[in-house]
Amino acid sequence: MGTNISLKNINKLAIPALIAGIAEPLLSITDTAIIGNITENATESLAAVGIVGAFISMLIWVFGQIRSAISSIVSQYVGANKLEEVKDLPAQAIAIVVFGSLLIVAIAYPFAKQIFQFYNASGTVLEYCITYFKIRIFGFPFSLFVFAVFGVFRGLQNTYYPMIIAIIGALLNVFLDIILVYGIEGYIPTMNIEGAAYASIIAQITMAIIALVLLIKKTTIPLKIALPFHKEVPRLLGMIANLFVRTIALNTALYFATSYATDYGKEYIAAYTICINIWLLGAFMVDGYSSAGNILSGKFLGAKDYKSLVVLSNKLLKYGLVTGIVIGLLGFVFYNFIGLIFTKDAAVLEQFYHVFWIVLITQPISAITFIFDGMFKGMGEMKYLRNLLILSTGLVFIPTLLVFDYYDLKLTAIWIAFTLWMIARGLPLILRFRAKFLPLATN
C-alpha cells in the first residue's frame, strides 16, 4: 500500500486539486485588483466588492459542502470496490443542491439592501454593494453545480478535470474583467463594478457547461435522476446538515470580521478585503493537499487500511507545513509590491501593511488545519468538525476579537483572532486523529 502514498502519487491528486482550488479565490482577487485600480470611487468600490464577496463566499461555503459529502461517500465506495452501488447518488445530490441554491437566490435578491446594512455598509458603499450583488448572485446556482460535479470527480480519485474546468473559468474571468470593467473605447462602455459582476457570472456559467459535458462524456456516472432515492441520501443529507451548521459557525467569524472592519471606516474594510483575499488564496493553495487527504482518507477508511491512513497523515502534515512556510516567505519577500497590485490609495495601503505580516504568519498554521480538516471530511467525521468549529468560533474567535477591539487594535484585533481561531481548529484534529488511528495502525 505504501506506493499509493508516495509524494508522486499524492501530487497527482494534490497539484490539479490545488490549481482547481485557487480558481474561486482567484476570481475574487481579480475583481479586487481590477476594481481597486479604477479611476472613479475606487476605495468605495473595493469596499463593496469585499463586503459582497464575504456574503457570497459564505453562501458558497455553506452550500458548497456538498462537494466534500459526495466525495467522501463515493471515495469510500471506490475503496471498497463497490462503485456500481453508488452510481445513482450523484444525480440526486446535484438536483438537491441546485434546487436549494435557486431558493436562496429567490430569498436573498429582494433583501439585498437589508443584508448589506447588516454588514454595516452605508452611503455609496451600500449602493455599490446592492448593484454588484444583484448581478453576481445569479452565478451562485452555477457555482454550486460545479462544486457538486467536482465532488463526484474527487470521489472517483480524479482531480484533473476539475483543474481544467477551473483554469478555463479563472482565465476567462480575468479576460472579461479587464474588458468589461475598463471597457474598450468605441466598442464596450466602461462598466466599473457592474462589469466585474458580469465577468464572474459568464465565467461561472462556462465552468458549469464544461463540467456537465465532462461528467457525461468521461465518466460512467449517469445524470438522469432515478427514483426512489438512493439509500445513502440520508447519510449524505446528514453530512451536509453537519457541514451546514459548521459553515454557519465559520461564517459567523467572517461576519464579525467583515462588519467590524466596515465599521472602522472605508480604508479599513478596503485593506481587510485585500488581506482576506490573500489569506483565502493561501488557504486554497494548500487545498490541493487537503483534497488529496479528503480523497485518499475516504478510500483507505473504506478499505480499512489504517496503516496507510497514518502514513498519509504524516506525509500531508509535512507537505502542508512546507507549503505554508513557502507561501509566507514569498509574501514577506514581495511585501510592499503585493499591496500596490491592489490599490494606490495611501490610506488603504497604510492599514494593509500594518497587518499583512500577521496574515503571512498564519499561513503554515492554516495549511495544517485545512489538511486535517480535509482528511476528517473524507472519513465522514462531519459531526466532530461541526462541534469543533462551533466551539472555536464561540470560545476563541469572538472573545479574542472583542478583547483586542476593546484596546482599539482594529484590523490587528481581527487578524490575531483569525490566528488563534486556526490553532483552536487544527490542534484538536491532529490529537484526535493520532489517538484514534495510531493504535489501529499498529494492530
Side-chain angles (χ1 to χ4, degrees), residues 66 69-70 73 89 93 96 232-241:
I66 185 83
I70 292 175
I73 292 173
L89 180 66
I96 290 165
E232 288 287 5
V233 165
R235 180 156 80 110
L236 179 82
L237 293 175
M239 284 184 180
I240 294 169

Side-chain angles (χ1 to χ4, degrees), residues 110-131:
F111 295 103
K113 185 179 180 182
Q114 290 83 349
I115 289 167
F116 299 111
Q117 281 176 331
F118 186 62
Y119 277 84
N120 288 329
S122 59
T124 309
V125 172
L126 178 60
E127 283 174 37
Y128 284 174
C129 280
I130 295 165
T131 302

Side-chain angles (χ1 to χ4, degrees), residues 16 23 69 91 96 98 174 187 203-205 233 240 254 330 405:
I96 290 165
V98 170
V174 173
Y187 295 97
Q204 286 162 329
I205 292 171
V233 165
I240 294 169
L254 285 176
L330 282 171
D405 174 70

Side-chain angles (χ1 to χ4, degrees), residues 192-262:
N192 293 329
I193 198 168
E194 291 179 42
Y198 283 120
S200 291
I201 286 190
I202 296 167
Q204 286 162 329
I205 292 171
T206 306
M207 287 167 74
I209 292 167
I210 299 167
L212 177 67
V213 171
L214 285 174
L215 191 66
I216 292 167
K217 298 279 185 190
K218 300 292 184 182
T219 75
T220 56
I221 302 288
L223 266 188
K224 188 180 175 196
I225 301 164
L227 291 172
F229 280 117
H230 192 277
K231 64 175 183 179
E232 288 287 5
V233 165
R235 180 156 80 110
L236 179 82
L237 293 175
M239 284 184 180
I240 294 169
N242 282 324
L243 288 167
F244 182 90
V245 174
R246 173 183 183 272
T247 314
I248 295 289
L250 186 149
N251 284 287
T252 301
L254 285 176
Y255 162 73
F256 268 88
T258 306
S259 61
Y260 269 61
T262 306

Side-chain angles (χ1 to χ4, degrees), residues 1 75-82 296-310 379 437 440-443:
M1 276 288 184
S75 64
Q76 285 174 33
Y77 272 77
V78 168
N81 282 321
K82 293 178 178 176
L296 293 171
S297 62
K299 186 180 177 184
F300 291 143
L301 191 68
K304 294 186 169 59
D305 184 4
Y306 304 118
K307 193 170 281 187
S308 291
L309 196 57
V310 170
M379 295 184 296
F437 291 108
L440 290 170
T442 50
N443 285 345

Side-chain angles (χ1 to χ4, degrees), residues 333-355:
V333 169
F334 297 104
Y335 202 85
N336 291 327
F337 172 72
I338 288 168
L340 291 168
I341 294 171
F342 295 97
T343 184
K344 304 294 184 286
D345 187 316
V348 175
L349 286 170
E350 184 188 346
Q351 297 308 326
F352 171 73
Y353 291 134
H354 192 60
V355 293

